[in-house]
């Protein structure tokens, strides 16, 4: 994905990153430890919050015993998981089996090194002034995507090294899923680079001083939100962990702390994509609803931490809401949506944004007419995508012959007419009246 936007970065303005790279060693270590502690505590909170929200949606109570409001339930579960027996299957590749969870969880922590939590502040009890960010670079957003891509190897190798068919299928599904939705995610970020003139996270936050990119680039924002749900394997896109099909997916054979590392990586990745969405589209640590116009201190000191974590928890709540509301997609529907709908729409919108920026910077055509024309083209494109693809399916079902089952295994035959697509047929339940009419119809047919 980085190769798609690398030529673009050569045309961007030179970033002013003079505030970074000057911290003493103890400040760097302090920031690193704080990021680690915050992510671990945030994971414990997110697990508790997900249980409480889903319980509320399903009219249940949820965790409420361990600690106030059940806040220590996640910690109790972590201790219990750590004390469980650690089992390694005989057919597993032990070296890769042990390294896979580590490869999944380390990139999840590293990606937060370029996320800006706030402006420059003074460390308490010292005279040191430093940004609330570990580091930054001219290609910080591409760094996040590159490191996040490394986490895929942990999941794929974990499924492969388990020596289980179900785990292998889960790992392969995860690799195909992440690669597919990473393309649309990268395309959604190109428009942000064009408007901000930088791929540095701190510079992108500064570019949203007056107006958020989530409002200016609403289609990119929607595309990114959909892609980030598919990227982190969360419902309704949790195909690698489909319990009804794959038992548990790529981590079926894992137990104890190794399973906990996979679990930790999933929840930290949720926080990562939420933090990136906050930084790129919702103004980052800047105060929402133009509060800073009324209160000058809203964007100063440690106050912006409230705005940043509030926006990030909004996206995490969105993850939980989707999990409690939507059923899991079928795998072919999920891949078709990514490659046939999301990526073409993202590509078309990227071209449209490029045209708009070129016209705006060169002072050419009236921007209003260009926007109207693009809106009409987008409406026609969506109509063709959503309403023109299933018109001939009923005829295809009746004309295709049913394939014959092959092989020595007791594989059930495919449905007549090939794989069934679209909505399932409505269920009909037999009653005494319908049973009698069905019997009479059968006798008449004989």
């Amino acid at each position: 994905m980085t190769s798609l936007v690398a030529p673009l970065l050569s045309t961007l303005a030179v970033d002013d990153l003079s505030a970074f790279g000057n911290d003493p060693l103890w400040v760097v270590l302090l920031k690193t430890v704080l990021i680690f502690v915050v992510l671990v505590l945030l994971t414990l909170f997110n697990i508790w919050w997900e249980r409480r929200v889903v319980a509320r949606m399903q009219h249940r109570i949820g965790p409420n015993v361990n600690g106030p409001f059940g806040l220590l339930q996640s910690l109790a579960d972590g201790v219990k998981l750590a004390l469980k027996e650690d089992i390694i299957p005989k057919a597993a590749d032990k070296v890769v089996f042990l390294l896979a969870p580590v490869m999944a969880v380390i990139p999840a922590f590293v990606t937060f090194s370029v996320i800006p939590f706030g402006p420059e502040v003074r460390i308490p009890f010292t005279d040191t002034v430093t940004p609330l960010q570990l580091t930054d670079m001219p290609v910080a957003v591409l760094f996040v995507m590159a490191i996040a891509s490394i986490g895929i190897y942990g999941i794929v190798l974990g499924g492969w090294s388990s020596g289980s068919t179900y785990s292998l299928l889960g790992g392969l599904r995860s690799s195909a899923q992440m690669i597919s939705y990473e393309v649309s995610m990268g395309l959604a970020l190109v428009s942000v680079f064009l408007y901000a003139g930088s791929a540095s996270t701190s510079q992108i936050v500064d570019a949203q001083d007056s107006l958020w990119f989530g409002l200016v680039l609403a289609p990119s924002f929607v595309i990114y939100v959909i892609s980030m749900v598919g990227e982190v394997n969360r419902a309704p896109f949790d195909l690698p962990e489909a319990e009804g099909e794959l038992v548990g997916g790529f981590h079926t054979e894992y137990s104890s702390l190794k399973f906990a590392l996979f679990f930790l990586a999933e929840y930290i990745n949720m926080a990562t994509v939420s933090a990136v969405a906050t930084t790129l589209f919702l103004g980052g640590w800047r105060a929402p609803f133009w509060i800073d116009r009324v209160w000058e201190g809203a964007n100063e000191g440690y106050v912006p931490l409230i705005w940043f974590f509030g926006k990030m928890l909004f996206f995490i709540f969105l993850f939980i809401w989707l999990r409690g509301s939507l059923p899991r997609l079928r795998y072919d529907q999920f891949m078709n949506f990514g490659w046939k709908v999301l990526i073409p729409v993202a590509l078309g919108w990227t071209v449209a944004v490029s045209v708009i920026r070129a016209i705006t910077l060169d002072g050419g055509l009236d921007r209003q007419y260009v926007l109207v024309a693009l809106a009409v083209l987008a409406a026609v494109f969506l109509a063709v995508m959503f309403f023109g693809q299933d018109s001939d399916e009923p005829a295809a079902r009746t004309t295709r012959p049913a394939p014959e089952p092959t092989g020595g295994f007791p594989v059930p035959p495919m449905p007549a007419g090939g794989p069934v697509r679209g909505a399932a047929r409505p269920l009909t339940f037999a009653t005494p009246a319908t049973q009698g009419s069905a019997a009479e119809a059968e006798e008449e047919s004989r």
Side-chain angles (χ1 to χ4, degrees), residues 125-435:
F125 310 110
T126 66
D127 296 330
T128 304
V129 177
T130 182
L132 280 176
Q133 183 176 355
L134 180 58
T135 187
D136 198 4
M137 57 189 75
V139 290
V141 180
L142 299 185
F143 170 80
V144 171
M145 296 191 65
I147 295 298
S149 301
I150 297 176
I152 304 174
Y153 290 97
I155 294 176
V156 175
L157 293 177
W160 172 81
S161 64
S162 297
S164 169
T165 304
Y166 290 124
S167 301
L168 178 61
L169 288 174
L172 293 177
R173 280 188 178 188
S174 181
S175 61
Q177 176 173 332
M178 290 184 175
I179 291 171
S180 302
Y181 280 75
E182 197 177 48
V183 176
S184 57
M185 179 183 290
L187 290 173
L189 301 182
V190 172
S191 57
V192 176
F193 299 157
L194 289 173
Y195 266 76
S198 172
S200 162
T201 50
S202 60
Q203 297 295 318
I204 291 174
V205 172
D206 292 338
Q208 301 176 75
D209 185 17
S210 58
L211 194 61
W212 292 351
F213 289 153
L215 302 176
V216 181
L217 304 170
S220 295
F221 181 43
V222 174
I223 292 170
Y224 178 85
V225 170
I226 297 175
S227 300
M228 77 179 187
V229 179
E231 182 78 4
V232 297
N233 301 332
R234 291 282 299 185
F237 301 151
D238 56 337
L239 277 306
E241 303 175 15
E243 293 89 354
E245 309 163 22
L246 304 177
V247 184
F250 58 90
H251 52 58
T252 301
E253 306 297 338
Y254 280 90
S255 60
S256 190
L257 281 177
K258 295 191 294 297
F259 174 79
L261 289 178
F262 277 122
F263 207 63
L264 180 66
E266 177 183 340
Y267 277 86
I268 294 180
N269 284 328
M270 284 175 52
T272 299
V273 295
S274 300
V276 172
T278 299
T279 302
L280 300 185
F281 294 101
L282 296 188
W285 47 264
R286 295 189 176 276
F289 311 118
W290 295 276
I291 297 177
D292 55 325
R293 306 292 174 86
V294 181
W295 175 29
E296 294 182 357
N299 290 331
E300 298 177 1
Y302 290 91
V303 176
L305 288 173
I306 301 175
W307 317 128
F308 179 83
F309 282 103
K311 297 172 186 177
M312 190 171 70
L313 290 176
F314 163 75
F315 285 106
I316 294 175
F317 173 77
L318 181 63
F319 279 107
I320 301 171
W321 186 17
L322 291 176
R323 179 171 183 173
S325 304
L326 299 179
R328 180 183 294 117
L329 270 71
R330 210 170 57 222
Y331 190 69
D332 60 328
Q333 294 174 333
F334 174 69
M335 297 303 290
N336 283 337
F337 177 74
W339 286 100
K340 297 182 179 180
V341 177
L342 204 60
I343 292 178
V345 170
L347 187 59
W349 172 248
T350 302
V351 174
V353 170
S354 303
V355 172
I356 292 175
R357 289 297 290 171
I359 292 175
T360 303
L361 296 176
D362 295 340
L365 300 176
D366 190 353
R367 185 177 181 180
Q368 181 177 359
Y369 295 110
V370 175
L371 292 174
V372 171
L374 291 175
V376 172
L377 290 175
V380 173
F381 180 76
L382 290 176
V384 172
M385 291 293 296
F386 285 104
F387 300 107
Q389 59 182 356
D390 297 327
S391 57
D392 57 346
E393 280 192 6
R397 290 182 187 174
T398 57
T399 55
R400 287 198 299 254
E404 294 292 334
T406 58
F409 294 96
V411 180
M414 293 292 289
V420 179
R421 297 182 60 187
R425 294 183 177 86
L427 298 176
T428 56
F429 299 95
T431 61
T434 57
Q435 286 179 351

Side-chain angles (χ1 to χ4, degrees), residues 88-117:
I88 300 179
K90 289 184 178 180
D93 187 326
K94 292 186 179 180
V95 176
V96 182
F97 189 80
L98 295 174
L99 288 178
V102 179
M103 294 180 63
V105 75
I106 288 180
F109 282 100
V110 173
T111 49
F112 260 86
S113 60
V114 295
I115 299 296
F117 294 91

Side-chain angles (χ1 to χ4, degrees), residues 44-57 60 63 234-235 263 266-267 270 316 319-321 323-324:
L44 297 178
F45 173 77
N46 289 339
I47 295 173
W48 170 85
W49 194 24
E50 181 171 11
R51 289 177 170 179
R52 293 288 290 188
V53 172
V54 174
R56 184 77 173 182
M57 297 176 69
R60 296 186 288 107
R234 291 282 299 185
F263 207 63
E266 177 183 340
Y267 277 86
M270 284 175 52
I316 294 175
F319 279 107
I320 301 171
W321 186 17
R323 179 171 183 173

